[in-house]
Amino acid sequence: MTPAANDVWPIVHAERRRLVADLLDLPIAQWRTPSLCPGWDVHDVLAHVVDTARTGRLMFVRELLRARFNFDRANDTGVAREKRTDPQDTVRTLDAVVSLTRTPPANLATRLVEAFVHGEDIRRPLGVAGTYPAGAVADALAYQLRTPVSFGGGRERAAGLRMVDSSTGQAWGEAGADVVEGAGIDLLLAVSGRPVPTERLTGRGAARLLDATG
């Protein structure tokens, strides 16, 4: 199921604005903090957020062709293109593109995944608290659960498990399967391959899901 554009874009734009606000006064020494995204520091992730905000369908296809269909290479090229010498210039660039509605040829739920997961990629290592709309997090999680890891999802990581959002009671997966319970954003991060503190996830399936993020 594809969420409606009128439901997705206001949330994405709000998340971009919040990220700008969170990073405006970040001390220069903290910009090299390793993010939750392997191999990237928080400045790299911010540059990627700028790049994805700018990238529409045609540009996505063109850059993927140039990268010989290597998604990681295409992403690294985008980071290099958008990463400014002064990190605050990168923040200001994001501020300038906050309201864009460009997207690659993909389900619009990917825009929610990008906004929430990359927001936490940056915020958690910096100790910055983030709050996210539960319904939109649920849409992002549902998308990740049905999308293969090879396409940026987490279907294989969650195979045979039942995810339960401790905040709302919403659940995904077959009844009777080993349960993983936690806040929706923590479930989303774990399914997306990000490290989550062990105390944030409970249930018989928690250890298996956490192992799958490594």
Side-chain angles (χ1 to χ4, degrees), residues 47-211:
H48 175 68
V49 172
V50 173
D51 184 53
T52 57
R54 290 183 183 273
T55 300
R57 290 170 171 80
L58 291 178
M59 184 176 177
F60 175 83
V61 172
R62 184 173 65 246
E63 292 302 313
L64 195 56
L65 287 171
R66 286 177 179 171
R68 299 181 182 180
F69 295 96
N70 185 311
F71 286 97
D72 290 337
R73 186 182 301 151
N75 284 336
D76 287 340
T77 298
V79 168
R81 179 171 55 242
E82 300 297 347
K83 188 176 181 180
R84 307 296 188 252
T85 301
D86 182 345
Q88 287 302 326
D89 286 339
T90 314
V91 176
R92 284 186 280 272
T93 302
L94 177 59
D95 191 36
V97 301
V98 156
S99 61
L100 292 181
T101 57
R102 296 174 187 171
T103 178
N107 190 306
L108 273 182
T110 60
R111 302 306 90 202
L112 298 174
V113 174
E114 288 269 333
F116 301 148
V117 174
H118 289 321
E120 289 296 277
D121 282 341
I122 292 171
R123 289 187 176 101
R124 291 199 177 193
L126 295 174
V128 177
T131 57
Y132 303 91
V137 170
D139 288 339
L141 177 56
Y143 175 81
Q144 290 296 78
L145 289 171
R146 64 177 181 265
T147 302
V149 170
S150 59
F151 282 86
R155 187 172 67 193
E156 295 87 343
R157 295 187 186 101
L161 299 173
R162 182 170 175 81
M163 306 288 159
V164 178
D165 185 335
S166 57
S167 301
T168 66
Q170 189 169 355
W172 300 262
E174 294 184 11
D178 287 346
V179 167
V180 183
E181 185 169 358
I185 188 65
D186 289 312
L187 296 174
L188 175 61
L189 288 175
V191 167
S192 301
R194 300 309 197 266
V196 174
T198 56
E199 67 272 13
R200 289 178 178 258
L201 300 178
T202 61
R204 292 181 59 182
R208 195 195 325 168
L209 179 59
L210 290 168
D211 286 344

Side-chain angles (χ1 to χ4, degrees), residues 19-31 88 91-92:
L19 192 57
V20 167
D22 285 344
L23 297 176
L24 273 176
D25 298 319
L26 188 68
I28 190 67
Q30 291 189 263
W31 282 100
Q88 287 302 326
V91 176
R92 284 186 280 272

